[in-house]
Amino acid sequence: MSDSPRRRGRPRSTDADAAILDATRRVLAEVGWDGLTMAEVAARAGVAKTTLYRRWPSKHELVVDAVAALFAGLALPDLGSLRADLEEVVARFAALLARPEAQASLYALFAEGTRDATLRARIREAVIAPMKSLVHQGRAAAQERGELPPDGSRAAAAAEADLIYDAIAGTVEHRVLVTGEPADPAWIRRFTSLLLLPLGAG
């Protein structure tokens, strides 16, 4: 059996990938979705266009991965309590959304996603699903500490985790991207308190 296309040729360079994704976000921040071209991204990243197209055959794929790479840096803290973990996650998320390149990338994806169901599916897969996994991890850690009751069923646990993610992502994105108000420590504490009430965290 012949080698798969992924195994043939030179191995992918993680440095080149990082440079391309960073260039994508910078170009988006400067010229927006319509102004972004694969040629400009390649030039900014210092790679050949053929190198770029081998990795990302379309602008959609490229921008989704550029956004996913930003959020990949988010991790679940282990600060000893559900409240402390939630406050830290919200603070990190808000700080990430405040970055100009993150805002430009998300605005572009939101706008294009309303017109393209395939793009929305890619966003859910590459950006949203990994972030939802943090909620599942946080719930499991809180249950081990006895702060949350055990799951009644797998389906109920998944539904609750989805709601928690929607509440965090929707509220923080509205605060930072829509109203432009600061997600300062006092606001984060109030928001976390609201989240914890229906969860019955002890």
Side-chain angles (χ1 to χ4, degrees), residues 91-108:
R92 293 178 185 179
F93 185 45
L96 181 57
L97 292 180
R99 294 168 56 177
E101 67 271 26
Q103 294 184 8
S105 301
L106 286 173
Y107 287 142

Side-chain angles (χ1 to χ4, degrees), residues 3 39-40 44 73 80 82 93-94 127 138 142 144 150-151 154-155 181 191:
D3 289 343
E40 178 63 18
R44 293 286 188 96
L82 179 58
F93 185 45
V127 180
E144 289 181 3
D151 297 329
R154 182 174 297 180
E181 297 182 61
F191 175 51

Side-chain angles (χ1 to χ4, degrees), residues 33 59-69 71 104-132 165 169 173:
W33 180 278
K59 184 163 74 171
H60 283 182
E61 293 285 333
L62 176 61
V63 174
V64 169
D65 282 359
V67 173
F71 290 100
S105 301
L106 286 173
Y107 287 142
L109 283 186
F110 291 160
E112 291 301 310
T114 61
R115 299 189 288 268
D116 189 328
T118 301
L119 178 58
R120 286 199 302 274
R122 279 285 295 130
I123 294 169
R124 288 194 297 270
E125 174 190 4
V127 180
I128 296 175
M131 294 181 64
K132 280 187 176 182
Y165 168 79
E173 286 173 5

Side-chain angles (χ1 to χ4, degrees), residues 42-57:
R44 293 286 188 96
V47 301
K49 284 192 290 184
T50 53
T51 299
L52 178 58
Y53 277 106
R54 277 200 303 269
R55 288 159 162 76
W56 291 278

Side-chain angles (χ1 to χ4, degrees), residues 79 82-96 168 171-172 175-176 181-196:
L79 302 179
L82 179 58
R83 172 179 286 278
D85 287 352
L86 273 175
E87 289 184 356
E88 181 65 17
V89 166
V90 171
R92 293 178 185 179
F93 185 45
L96 181 57
I168 294 173
T171 302
V172 178
R175 178 82 175 182
V176 177
E181 297 182 61
D184 55 32
W187 180 86
I188 291 173
R189 284 193 296 271
R190 292 197 303 272
F191 175 51
T192 301
S193 295
L194 287 175
L195 283 175
L196 292 174

